[in-house]
Amino acid sequence: NRDEAAVAGEMPRHAPASELVCRAIKRLAGVNAAMWLSVTAGREGSWSWDGQTLEQVPALEVPIASTAGAGDAHLSGVLAGLAAGLPLAEAQQLGTLVAAVSVTSPHTIHPTLSRVLLRRYACEHGANLSAAVLSLVED
């Protein structure tokens, strides 16, 4: 997340998220050039780094009931996308969508999360998703 990127990049946590991410990538790539990175920053969106390309995915504006579990929801969406064969940048899109739906519930694990609900939120909130991500959330 944003705070962890600040620590990794040795920067103040209030620095712009994009700067935190770039600095964290630079430092971590020095340790392991093949490292993949996913950083979430709430309303500022999220970033992914696959060792070659940095991608930013804007957050979806949704009504927030609770942010508890949002990071775990994001990670679960990213992992599900990777397991489905998506490249990291597209898996990051799925993670962003799952996290957006997750925060609309007061529960740490959204009790009715489903493909149908993900698709509905994607359509209602103008999510800019690749065709491959959209195909994963179709009925």
Side-chain angles (χ1 to χ4, degrees), residues 2-119:
R2 176 185 226 297
D3 292 339
E4 293 160 339
V7 171
E10 297 180 331
M11 293 184 70
R13 61 186 297 256
H14 62 273
S18 58
E19 291 179 24
L20 295 175
V21 170
C22 289
R23 178 77 67 87
I25 289 168
K26 184 176 182 177
R27 289 204 63 241
L28 294 171
V31 175
N32 180 350
M35 183 181 298
W36 284 12
L37 187 67
S38 174
V39 178
T40 59
R43 289 186 172 111
E44 295 173 279
S46 63
W47 289 259
S48 64
W49 170 255
D50 64 5
Q52 297 179 15
T53 305
L54 178 63
E55 296 285 338
Q56 197 267 341
V57 178
L60 297 179
E61 291 189 30
V62 297
I64 298 174
S66 172
T67 60
D72 291 337
H74 187 275
L75 180 59
S76 70
V78 170
L79 293 175
L82 292 172
L86 295 177
L88 180 58
E90 290 181 317
Q92 189 83 0
Q93 293 174 18
L94 182 60
T96 297
L97 178 59
V98 173
V101 173
S102 174
V103 301
T104 65
S105 170
H107 306 285
T108 56
I109 298 174
H110 195 300
T112 62
L113 185 67
S114 66
R115 287 180 176 194
V116 172
L117 187 57
L118 290 172
R119 178 65 174 212

